[in-house]
Amino acid sequence: MAYKSDGSNLVPVPSNAVIPERDINDMPALECKNLGITFGGLHAVENFNLTIGRTEIAGLIGPNGAGKTTVFNLLTNVYQPTTGTILLNGMDTHGMSTAQVSKAGIGRTFQNIRLFNNLTVEENIMVAMDNSMKYGLFDGLLRLPGYFREEKKAHEKALELLHIFEMENVASHQAGSLPYGAQRRVEIVRALATNPKVLLLDEPAAGMNPSETADLMANIRKIRDTFQIAVVLIEHDMNLVMNVCEGLCVLNFGRIIAKGSPAEIQKNPTVIEAYLGKSHKEGEKQMSTILKVDDINVYYGSIHAIKGISFHVEEGEIVTLIGANGAGKSTTLNTISGLLRSRTGSITLNDKPIDHIPPHKVVEHGLAMCPEGRRIFLQMTVEENLEMGAFTVKDINMDAEKERVFDLFPRLKERRNQIGGTLSGGEQQMLAMGRALMSKPHLMMMDEPSMGLAPILVEQIFDIINSLHKEGTTILLVEQNAQAALSIADRGYVLETGKIVAEGTGAELLASPVIKRAYLGGEREEEPDKEGAYYF
């Protein structure tokens, strides 16, 4: 048995339905058949099949780099698919422009807020109605009656939409002056102004506090029930996803790995492995003190990203910070390295404060960062990249240090004269790690070293990290592949919405249900029958 929502509760629908019961006699709002896109030799999305009923709330989830936003870009024809078809109310959207797709009935928000900050809230919403305006260029230029008639309709519709979401009091405010959560709501209202039959929400809860997220959950249900449209959301806040979505589709490496109800997805071993990774043997442990982070609070404008966290790293350890996307892991590393500032607390490296010095001075104190996305110098050779890593080190034997790196990464020695931008993803990650080692750091921080790499390369990267650990390198590791990270870590901390919610040894955390909850959300109160499944 599967489940549908009657507005507030989940009620059963037949498990043999292709779409739930209330839509069984209707054409699906959206169908994707064998959808795929290739960038060069990379299959970003492959064999993607999805059917969405006319009034369904569905979630598209998966780890970083799984292809979720690429799917949204395909659905809106930002990208033209290499293979497959997209049917919107039975109409093939192939060859349509993004404006034509919008007019046909797909509305969308984006990961990053894209409001016109200097326009009022009402004007932002009226902009979205341009596609449906029934006047031409000359009507506007000559200010003919048809122009004023259409503008009046748009004004009334904008105020009506704002009233539904209790925002009419900010209609005349500049959009950029609103709080973050309110800007998110305006962006959703603007998407609704296009009269969509399917609304795509790309990480709508990103940066929201718990109160704003609870309001968003209620608003998503209100959108479906008020406008009788389908809603599809990409979201990393799993508590939101598991409580508002009626069915989920899980992507990994561009392929669908599971479909089902939220309760089924939470227990699906393939999904758990995609988020948490496969097992590794635990490394040897070495203990002594080096880094202390005490009660730091970090903000992006008014957004409270890091909320009073404290932790420490001891010399010779691998300590890992894990958590879902948006939990605050990279923000924590950027704060330690001096790229961001904490409003409170302190950060010390070898008992010396580093929280009020510029990033290059932090490097001189003995901290090296291997950043997310690798960030090598693409136009420089491998050897030149390594030499840049030693820029702050005095009295260095450059040749000896390069040979040490080449011993760890023989592939780099073979390509020492090759331009960095022509290396494969795995080779670029090795180069980023080698460049960080060239500064002879007391502490090496790594941000998502496995991101975007094929599984076999991920195993190689973690073998190298474990080798560095055994040689005595102290490592602070941020990694979404929780299973892999905890399997080689001495200790770990679990971050959730900017707070540490659990800590312990790698083995303790691997056995703890808090890990699954941090990535996939808490258990739902109601669950479908074990035999049932959601059909998309």
Side-chain angles (χ1 to χ4, degrees), residues 264-281:
E264 290 167 333
I265 293 299
Q266 283 180 315
K267 297 172 182 176
N268 186 301
T270 305
V271 175
I272 292 170
E273 181 180 303
Y275 273 92
L276 305 184
K278 294 182 179 179
S279 297
H280 286 72
K281 291 183 179 179

Side-chain angles (χ1 to χ4, degrees), residues 192-212:
L192 288 169
T194 65
N195 293 319
K197 299 175 179 69
V198 179
L199 179 62
L200 309 180
L201 303 178
D202 197 346
E203 299 196 26
M208 286 188 174
N209 61 41
S211 175
E212 291 169 335

